[in-house]
């Protein structure tokens, strides 16, 4: 038995066999062959190639004959692997440069990459991704660990990292838990794990090396513990913990449908953050009063081309109708940064979080933006819709975005779409400069939604995906508390509502402060809603305001934390 420790980011206890998912580039070592090893290495290469081709043939058998597109893609991949020049060049590196097969394959790949990229053609660039993927598959076969991306049996996924695309493809019925080497509480893997209700632990150093495929793992998504091959006694202890978790969930679910009203009568809207259509029934079951943040990026994930207006419209309409009469807040595309840069083939940036992201990307590619806005506006006819723009850092961006929205609406009206009123419009407050000019922004929009994941990242200068600085993520930092206060006050002075949709909104520990700040809405992962509602119903707004005053006078996060702990204890409030 061995114990590892990481950051628990999605509560729950799972016990199951490890499934090592190798993502990203595979680590390979270079080995110089002795002359007598050359022919054996060439045979090894051929065996791996044949095995990879056999695997692909096997995959083909499971695809129905009428699905001609996937079949032809796999056929094309098989042809690539049988390509005589690929085989010849790899053999040449092995024979003449005494390279091991893995290294020789990488050399051949980098030659192809140079040639393909110099052509600058989008279609050809895509084909090089296919080749990279195929060569990785052969290398994995050489290393005896061919990678499968779909799970057949329930298992605990262990990976260096999971891209948002990987995460979106994993299903709660087969994925018992996630464990990754990188990430933080607000990295996207963590957010998706929470909303799917899958226990997850991130930032576990070297876990892909320490765990072997099939090892029995216990994952505690609350404490961040990962136990490899536990003893029977430990298994029993965790089974008890799991039961406790389930009982707690069942108890809290009783509060799901109650409104969040404080003891002295202040009502706060509790909404859900969703990213997938499948999450709507779950969000409603957990008592969401609509959706405060619909992350619209996911439709762009599972594909290589961009979704068209019709497809977006159909999905958005389903979302709007599925939630009606409650409202849906569409956040326009927030691509870039740690989200989907890979899928969309965006250029690599040294500093992606500060790069061409979100509204900046949309304003640079107006066609992409307009397509999405047209689809949202058309869907808005079928229920209650709000729109909000991410990453607004100044008025200029807001003006341009509003102009495009107005043009798109006019265009639709000319086409006969009966758009009487436009949906209410908001901005996310997630860049420190937006807080500084919140008074100016508030005059131009109908609501604010504070995105603390990014606001904390930018204000405290900590990369939200970097496990080395994850411990510095601190919602209770006096700097952050002041930024929140300033945003709420600026919004209220102009008579607009102020919501919060960052992960902080669902941190029970922070909820009394958020109520005290006067936030009108908290939007969070659906699973947390019952617990937050239950807590709000035990609070007094007036007391929370006094608590905020006290907290704002404290100089360090530690003192704010101590104040809160003390307060929870005095009020006899449990922190599940
Ligand atoms: C945020 O930044 O707080 C937020 C809600 O948006 P995302 O996590 O999608 O960047
Ligand atoms: Mg954000």
């Amino acid at each position: 038995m061995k114990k590892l420790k990481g950051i628990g980011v999605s509560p729950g206890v799972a016990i199951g066999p490890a499934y090592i998912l190798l993502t990203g580039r595979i680590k390979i070592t270079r080995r110089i062959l002795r002359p007598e090893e050359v022919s054996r290495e060439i045979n090894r290469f051929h065996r791996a190639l044949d095995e990879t081709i056999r695997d692909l043939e096997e995959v083909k058998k499971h695809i129905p004959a009428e699905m001609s597109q996937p079949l032809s893609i796999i056929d094309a991949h098989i042809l690539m692997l049988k390509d005589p020049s690929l085989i010849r060049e790899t053999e040449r590196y092995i024979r003449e440069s005494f390279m091991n097969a893995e290294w020789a394959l990488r050399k051949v790949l980098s030659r192809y990459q140079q040639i393909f990229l110099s052509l600058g053609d989008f279609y050809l660039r895509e084909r090089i991704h296919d080749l990279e993927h195929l060569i990785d598959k052969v290398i994995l076969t050489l290393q005896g660990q061919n990678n499968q991306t779909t799970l057949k049996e329930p298992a605990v996924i262990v990976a260096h990292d999971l891209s948002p695309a990987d995460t979106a493809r994993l299903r709660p019925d087969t994925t018992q838990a996630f464990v990754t080497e990188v990430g933080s509480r607000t990295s996207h893997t963590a957010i998706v794990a929470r909303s799917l209700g899958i226990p997850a632990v991130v930032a576990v150093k070297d876990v892909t090396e320490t765990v072997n495929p099939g090892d029995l793992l216990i994952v505690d998504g609350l404490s961040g513990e990962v136990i490899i091959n536990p003893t029977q006694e430990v298994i029993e202890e965790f089974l008890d913990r799991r039961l406790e978790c389930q009982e707690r969930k069942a108890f809290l679910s009783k509060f799901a449908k109650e409104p969040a009203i404080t003891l002295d009568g202040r009502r706060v809207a509790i909404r859900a953050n969703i990213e997938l259509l499948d999450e709507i029934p779950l969000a409603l079951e957990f008592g969401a009063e609509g959706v405060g943040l619909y992350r619209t990026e996911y439709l762009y994930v599972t594909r290589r081309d961009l979704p068209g207006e019709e497809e977006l419209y159909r999905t958005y309409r389903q979302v709007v109708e599925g939630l009606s009469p409650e409202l849906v807040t569409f956040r326009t595309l927030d691509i870039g940064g740690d989200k989907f840069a890979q899928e969309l083939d965006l250029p690599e940036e040294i500093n992606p979080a500060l790069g061409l992201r979100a509204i900046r990307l949309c304003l640079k590619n107006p066609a992409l933006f307009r397509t999405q806005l047209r689809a949202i506006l058309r869907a808005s006819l079928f229920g209650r819709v709000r729109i909000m723009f991410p990453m607004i850092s100044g008025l200029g961006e807001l003006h341009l975005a509003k102009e495009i929205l107005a043009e798109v609406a006019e265009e639709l009206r000319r086409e006969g779409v009966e758009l009487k009123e436009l949906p209410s419009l908001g901005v996310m407050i997630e860049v420190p400069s937006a807080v500084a000019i919140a008074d100016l922004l508030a005059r131009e929009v109908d609501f604010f939604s504070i995105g603390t994941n990014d606001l904390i990242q930018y204000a405290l200068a900590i990369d939200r995906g970097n496990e080395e600085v994850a411990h510095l993520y601190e919602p209770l930092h006096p700097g952050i508390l002041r930024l929140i206060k300033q945003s709420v006050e600026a919004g209220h002075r102009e008579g607009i509502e102020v919501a919060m949709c960052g992960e902080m909104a669902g941190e029970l520990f922070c909820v009394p402060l958020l109520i005290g700040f006067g936030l009108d809405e908290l939007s969070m992962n659906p699973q947390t809603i019952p617990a937050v509602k239950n807590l709000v119903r035990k609070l007094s707004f007036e007391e929370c305001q006094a608590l905020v005053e006290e907290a704002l006078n404290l100089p360090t996060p530690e003192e704010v934390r101590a104040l809160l702990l003390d307060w929870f204890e005095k009020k006899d409030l449990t922190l599940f």
Side-chain angles (χ1 to χ4, degrees):
M1 182 170 103
K2 196 166 177 177
K3 283 188 189 180
L4 304 175
K5 186 90 171 78
I7 307 171
V9 294
S10 178
V13 174
I15 304 181
Y19 182 89
I20 320 262
L21 185 69
L22 289 159
T23 54
R25 295 326 301 272
I26 305 153
K27 281 190 212 133
I28 56 171
T29 43
R30 179 173 182 180
R31 202 163 59 79
I32 309 282
L33 303 173
R34 290 192 302 273
E36 64 273 22
E37 286 179 306
V38 165
S39 64
R40 202 172 352 127
E41 193 66 4
I42 290 179
N43 287 338
R44 197 174 147 255
F45 160 59
H46 277 280
R47 274 201 309 276
L49 203 58
D50 292 346
E51 197 181 316
T52 313
I53 293 172
R54 271 200 307 278
D55 275 356
L56 290 175
E57 304 272 11
E58 193 57 33
V59 173
K60 259 177 72 179
K61 284 189 201 150
H62 297 283
I63 300 175
E66 62 276 16
M67 294 178 73
S68 59
Q69 211 190 3
L71 285 172
S72 62
I73 292 173
I74 296 176
D75 280 333
H77 285 180
I78 293 174
L79 277 179
M80 278 185 183
L81 288 177
K82 287 185 175 169
D83 177 48
S85 67
L86 175 103
I87 298 173
R88 215 175 28 243
E89 283 203 49
T90 313
E91 285 181 357
R92 196 165 56 79
Y93 277 119
I94 299 175
R95 191 177 305 113
E96 293 172 15
S97 307
F98 300 102
M99 288 178 182
N100 53 327
E102 290 91 333
W103 201 263
L105 274 163
R106 273 285 164 81
K107 283 295 270 190
V108 174
L109 175 64
S110 63
R111 267 178 47 75
Y112 278 95
Q113 278 166 330
Q114 277 164 12
I115 297 167
F116 277 48
L117 290 177
S118 68
L119 298 173
D121 178 281
F122 181 76
Y123 179 78
L124 285 175
R125 281 217 308 268
E126 285 307 302
R127 303 290 71 74
I128 195 73
H129 287 320
D130 290 0
L131 191 61
E132 284 164 4
H133 173 73
L134 284 168
I135 288 189
D136 278 355
K137 250 178 141 28
V138 181
I139 293 176
L140 286 168
T141 311
L142 279 164
Q143 296 178 336
Q145 44 188 355
N146 198 350
N147 203 10
Q148 307 243 324
T149 41
T150 43
L151 276 183
K152 293 186 186 73
E153 300 295 328
V156 174
I157 305 269
V158 177
H160 172 67
D161 190 12
L162 293 171
S163 72
D166 291 328
T167 324
R169 276 190 280 265
L170 300 171
R171 308 286 2 140
D173 48 345
T174 46
T175 307
Q176 292 179 307
F178 297 94
V179 183
T180 62
E181 292 177 339
V182 298
S184 70
R185 252 198 97 61
T186 55
S187 58
H188 276 79
T189 319
I191 293 174
V192 176
R194 276 198 291 281
S195 62
L196 294 175
I198 297 174
V201 177
V202 302
V204 185
K205 239 181 161 42
D206 299 330
V207 66
T208 58
E209 316 267 316
T210 320
V211 170
N212 292 314
D215 277 352
L216 187 66
L217 294 186
I218 292 180
V219 180
D220 185 334
L222 195 64
S223 67
E225 282 167 286
V226 177
I227 302 176
I228 309 170
N229 296 325
T231 60
Q232 194 52 38
E233 205 182 323
V234 172
I235 294 179
E236 270 156 32
E237 182 199 321
F238 274 85
L239 284 174
D240 284 349
R241 252 197 236 183
R242 185 158 77 178
L243 196 65
E244 233 174 78
C245 265
Q246 285 161 349
E247 282 171 0
R248 191 184 306 148
K249 259 192 183 165
F251 167 74
L252 288 172
S253 67
K254 291 194 210 117
F255 306 97
K257 299 282 155 43
E258 305 284 338
I261 302 182
T262 60
L263 296 169
D264 45 355
R266 180 170 168 84
R267 178 155 187 176
V268 182
I270 306 291
R271 303 210 155 104
N273 294 351
I274 63 163
E275 31 256 302
L276 309 168
L277 198 58
D278 305 355
E279 289 174 284
I280 294 174
L282 194 79
L284 292 174
E285 194 186 310
F286 283 117
E289 297 151 348
V291 163
L293 168 63
Y294 173 31
R295 291 188 167 96
T296 57
E297 295 79 36
Y298 279 78
L299 267 190
Y300 295 73
V301 175
T302 45
R303 51 194 307 139
R304 284 279 157 90
D305 52 340
L306 295 172
E309 180 182 326
E310 276 314 301
E311 183 183 346
L312 292 173
Y313 161 67
R314 277 198 307 274
T315 312
Y316 293 171
R317 184 174 160 178
Q318 269 176 284
V319 173
V320 174
E321 287 179 333
L323 283 156
S324 180
E326 302 291 354
L327 69 77
V328 191
T329 313
F330 282 84
R331 178 182 66 190
T332 59
L333 269 181
D334 186 3
I335 283 175
D338 66 337
K339 297 172 198 145
F340 315 116
Q342 218 180 339
E343 282 76 13
L344 283 190
D345 205 22
L346 295 176
E348 265 188 36
E349 296 179 313
I350 293 179
N351 240 327
L354 305 181
L356 191 58
R357 220 199 116 169
I359 197 72
R360 303 168 181 182
L361 183 81
C362 287
L363 293 176
K364 190 162 178 225
N365 295 282
L368 178 82
F369 194 34
R370 294 180 95 96
T371 306
Q372 185 183 35
L373 290 175
R374 281 180 61 97
I376 299 175
L377 288 180
R378 286 173 59 197
S380 74
L381 299 178
F382 298 89
R384 283 176 68 202
V385 167
R386 298 195 301 196
I387 296 179
M388 70 180 171
F389 300 133
M391 281 279 291
I392 292 287
S393 65
L395 278 176
E397 282 162 345
L398 178 60
H399 289 157
L400 273 174
K402 278 172 78 171
E403 220 170 90
I404 295 178
L405 179 66
E407 278 169 23
V408 166
E410 202 35 54
E411 192 177 85
L412 284 170
R413 287 191 188 108
R414 276 201 305 273
E415 289 168 24
V417 178
E418 285 188 29
L419 265 180
K420 287 185 204 77
E421 257 180 81
L422 285 188
S424 34
L425 184 68
V427 283
M428 289 195 67
I429 301 289
E430 53 182 351
V431 179
S433 62
V435 180
I437 56 160
D439 54 331
L440 306 175
L441 291 170
R443 286 176 210 149
E444 308 238 0
V445 290
D446 306 305
F447 69 97
F448 282 165
S449 189
I450 306 177
T452 48
N453 306 340
D454 279 312
L455 187 60
I456 295 174
Q457 154 166 269
Y458 295 124
L460 301 185
I462 42 169
D463 178 349
R464 64 194 266 190
N466 183 345
E467 71 286 0
E468 299 292 339
V469 290
H471 63 286
L472 298 174
Y473 168 82
E474 184 48 272
L476 301 178
H477 190 295
I480 301 300
L481 299 183
R482 290 177 192 201
L483 291 174
I484 296 171
K485 176 185 157 75
Q486 212 177 318
S487 312
V488 178
E489 285 180 355
H492 284 176
R493 233 178 272 125
E494 294 299 327
I496 65 168
E497 293 203 342
V498 183
M500 179 179 283
C501 64
E503 292 303 294
M504 184 179 182
E507 306 263 6
L508 286 177
F509 203 59
C510 302
V511 166
L513 288 179
L514 303 180
I515 299 297
F517 277 126
L519 280 153
D520 303 288
E521 167 188 325
L522 301 178
S523 191
M524 62 200 69
N525 84 72
Q527 317 258 355
T528 320
I529 291 176
V532 171
K533 282 188 166 181
N534 177 41
L535 177 59
V536 172
R537 292 170 64 81
K538 291 180 183 157
L539 302 175
S540 127
F541 178 44
E542 211 176 296
E543 283 178 11
C544 290
Q545 283 178 306
L547 180 71
V548 163
E549 285 312 310
E550 236 182 294
L552 284 169
N553 280 324
L554 296 173
T556 64
E558 292 73 28
E559 284 158 280
V560 178
R561 193 169 297 277
L563 169 75
L564 288 175
L565 267 180
D566 192 44
W567 196 80
F568 270 91
E569 208 174 290
K570 271 202 209 123
K571 299 241 163 289
D572 206 17
L573 293 169
T574 42
L575 256 177
F576 284 142

